[in-house]
């Protein structure tokens, strides 16, 4: 039997299982966190003998330490266990970038002349199909989806594409900021529809947020029976302004309906399939609508054609960055940061369209943004509370 002598001459512990134990580390060495030299162990001999430590936790000389320091194969970290580096705030940056891309696409939409909103929507659908198709092939998701989910996918595509067409129409006939603010009310309608169809909780706070949203929409629409016949700060006639307001409200409700459908489907359907249905059904709806209203015309100038391509690319980029943001960041902060849509809309409208918003529009925007942000914060708090209760 071989004995190791410590600094005080004390005998080391006897070998266990034919192996010799290294002398225990002093308290100063342990507190230093590995700053001192690790005492030599029998790693080489054991590795040569092909010995393996039960459980793969490390050699006996490190058994008393919280961090193994020897280089045995079983003490090394297995590949893939290292925590991935995440940049703080990256998800929120993606959200802001998505909002900016969507806002610029809306600005280009205002710049296009003599092209109907339905035709612009058709071009957007074509671009989405072209970019989503390789993803469907790569992930082998198929083109129809699970049998039990195809009805939901159909209505998701129909309502989503309808929301896009109505939103583009609203952008064309009313100020950019007004249309953006109204469509931003979709989270409030989502809570209401989720209460009706999914039996989710609908509190007094949700009712208050809904009333605030309706107030904001009224301030933007400014109906003559409340504000008189002399309406300022609108584009064109009040009839078009009212049509745009109605289209924006229906677009917000349709968007909220797609959110409810996506919640119903859960994670059982790949998000590429959801976008695929959105693009295919949207293209079919656009083609049928264009034949009915007889508005199919190619843009006359090269600038409009170039802007159409940019609208498709920017819209796709905005969706990609928004999806990435939701993958790495909680939904609550993302929903709050999406208020930048409204900020960018006001800035672009002032800088490039020379259209100053009225105080009525600003007041309506504050009501809608406060309601949407409040709804997002409450939903975030409720989900966090449920997650903590499940952990307990």
């Amino acid at each position: 039997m071989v004995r190791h002598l410590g600094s005080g001459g004390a005998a080391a512990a006897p070998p266990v299982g034919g192996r010799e134990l290294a002398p225990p580390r002093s308290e100063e060495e342990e507190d230093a966190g590995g700053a001192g030299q690790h005492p030599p162990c029998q790693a080489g001999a054991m590795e040569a003998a092909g010995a393996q430590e039960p459980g793969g936790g490390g050699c006996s000389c490190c058994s008393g330490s919280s961090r193994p320091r020897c280089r045995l194969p079983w003490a090394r970290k297995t590949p893939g266990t290292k925590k991935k580096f995440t940049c703080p705030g990256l998800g929120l940056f993606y959200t802001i970038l998505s909002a900016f891309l969507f806002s610029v696409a809306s600005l280009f939409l205002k710049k296009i002349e003599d092209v109907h909103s339905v035709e612009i929507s058709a071009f957007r659908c074509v671009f989405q199909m072209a970019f989503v198709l390789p993803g469907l092939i790569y992930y082998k998701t198929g083109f129809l989806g699970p049998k039990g989910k195809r009805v939901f996918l159909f209505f998701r595509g129909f309502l989503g594409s309808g929301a896009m067409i109505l939103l583009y129409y609203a952008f064309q006939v009313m100020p950019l900021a007004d249309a953006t603010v109204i469509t931003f009310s979709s989270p409030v309608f989502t809570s209401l529809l989720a209460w009706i169809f999914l039996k989710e909780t609908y509190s007094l706070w949700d009712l208050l947020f809904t009333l605030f949203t309706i107030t904001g929409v009224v301030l933007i629409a400014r109906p003559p029976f409340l504000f008189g016949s002399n309406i300022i700060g609108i584009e064109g006639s009040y009839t078009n302004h009212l049509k745009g307001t109605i289209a924006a409200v229906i677009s917000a409700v349709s968007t909220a309906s797609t959110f409810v459908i996506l919640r119903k489907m859960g994670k059982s359907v790949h998000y590429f399939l959801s976008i695929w249905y959105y693009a295919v059904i949207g293209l079919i709806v656009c083609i049928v609508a264009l034949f009915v209203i007889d508005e199919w015309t190619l843009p006359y100038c090269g600038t409009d054609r170039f802007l159409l391509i940019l609208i498709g690319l920017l819209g796709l980029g905005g969706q990609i960055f928004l999806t990435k943001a939701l993958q790495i960041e909680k939904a609550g902060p993302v929903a709050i940061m999406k208020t930048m849509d409204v900020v960018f809309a006001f800035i672009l409208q002032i800088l490039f369209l020379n259209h100053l918003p009225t105080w009525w529009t600003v007041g309506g925007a504050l009501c809608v943004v406060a309601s949407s942000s409040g709804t997002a914060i409450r939903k975030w708090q409720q989900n966090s509370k449920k997650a903590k209760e499940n952990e307990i």
Side-chain angles (χ1 to χ4, degrees):
M1 181 182 298
V2 181
R3 296 180 182 272
H4 292 281
L5 295 180
S7 59
V16 179
R19 300 177 186 170
E20 295 185 7
L21 300 180
R25 307 186 73 198
S26 64
E27 293 182 2
E28 289 79 5
E29 287 177 323
E30 290 291 345
D31 293 339
Q37 180 68 28
H38 183 58
C41 64
Q42 307 299 322
M46 285 185 288
E47 188 173 1
Q52 291 187 354
E53 191 71 16
C59 69
S60 57
C61 66
C62 299
S63 59
S65 175
S66 59
R67 287 179 295 177
R69 295 172 178 81
C70 57
R71 298 301 180 185
L72 293 176
W74 54 80
R76 298 169 187 161
K77 292 183 179 179
T78 56
T81 59
K82 187 177 180 181
K83 187 176 181 181
K84 293 182 179 180
F85 174 77
T86 55
C87 178
L90 183 61
L92 300 183
F93 172 74
Y94 283 158
T95 307
I96 295 176
L97 185 57
S98 170
F100 179 74
L101 294 179
F102 281 136
S103 299
V104 175
S106 303
L107 174 65
F108 290 161
L109 180 65
K110 296 284 291 183
K111 290 291 187 179
I112 294 180
E113 299 178 357
D114 300 325
V115 179
H116 200 275
S117 59
V118 178
E119 186 174 350
I120 299 175
S121 302
F123 277 99
R124 166 82 178 270
C125 291
V126 169
F127 272 96
Q128 284 189 331
M129 289 175 60
F131 281 91
V132 170
L133 183 60
L136 293 177
I137 298 174
Y138 177 79
Y139 288 105
K140 300 179 181 179
T141 59
F143 297 97
L144 298 179
K147 289 184 178 180
K149 304 295 182 179
R150 292 175 185 174
V151 175
F152 296 112
L153 285 169
F154 171 80
F155 281 106
R156 183 267 182 271
F158 181 77
L159 293 172
S161 58
M164 174 184 61
I165 296 172
L166 292 171
L167 175 62
Y168 283 1
Y169 175 77
F171 282 145
Q172 285 188 330
V173 299
M174 65 187 305
L176 179 63
D178 292 18
T180 303
V181 169
I182 294 176
T183 54
F184 196 76
S185 63
S186 58
V188 178
F189 294 118
T190 302
S191 299
L192 180 61
L193 293 176
W195 171 61
I196 297 174
F197 295 103
L198 302 181
K199 309 302 179 184
E200 294 186 4
T201 305
Y202 191 79
S203 64
L204 290 177
W205 280 105
D206 294 316
L207 178 60
L208 180 63
F209 293 145
T210 303
L211 294 177
F212 259 86
T213 299
I214 295 174
T215 302
V217 173
V218 170
L219 290 177
I220 294 174
R222 282 164 283 168
F225 66 90
L226 291 177
F227 295 85
S229 57
N230 187 19
I231 306 297
I232 60 174
I234 63 175
E235 294 180 358
S237 65
Y238 181 78
T239 302
N240 287 336
H241 184 79
L242 183 60
K243 289 179 179 179
T245 301
I246 296 173
V249 171
I250 298 176
S251 174
V253 175
S254 299
T255 302
S257 302
T258 62
F259 290 158
V260 172
I261 293 174
L262 290 174
R263 284 188 192 177
K264 181 68 176 178
M265 290 191 300
K267 297 181 179 180
S268 60
V269 177
H270 199 281
Y271 70 91
F272 268 158
L273 264 177
S274 177
I275 301 176
W276 173 255
Y277 268 81
Y278 174 93
V280 172
I281 295 178
L283 181 60
I284 295 173
V285 171
C286 289
I287 292 175
V288 173
L290 287 172
F291 276 106
V292 171
I293 63 178
D294 194 19
E295 287 285 347
W296 181 266
T297 55
L298 288 175
Y300 293 108
C301 66
T303 303
D304 287 348
R305 298 174 187 177
F306 180 67
L307 291 178
L308 278 176
I309 296 174
L310 288 180
I311 290 172
L313 293 176
L314 291 171
L316 181 64
Q319 282 195 338
I320 291 175
F321 281 114
L322 182 59
T323 302
K324 292 291 292 182
L326 290 170
Q327 286 178 342
I328 62 178
E329 186 62 76
K330 293 182 179 180
V334 171
I336 296 172
M337 194 57 64
K338 270 190 66 62
T339 56
M340 292 301 297
D341 285 14
V342 178
V343 177
F344 286 136
F346 275 101
I347 294 174
L348 295 177
Q349 175 177 299
I350 295 173
L351 293 180
F352 297 99
L353 301 177
N354 299 321
H355 187 96
L356 292 175
T358 64
W359 288 109
W360 295 113
T361 298
V362 174
L366 292 176
C367 289
V368 173
V369 169
S371 302
S372 300
S373 301
T375 301
I377 292 173
R378 276 190 55 81
K379 184 63 65 176
W380 180 24
Q381 291 177 340
Q382 291 173 358
N383 293 338
S384 300
K385 185 177 180 181
K386 289 180 181 179
K388 291 181 180 179
E389 291 176 352
N390 293 334
E391 289 179 359
I392 296 174

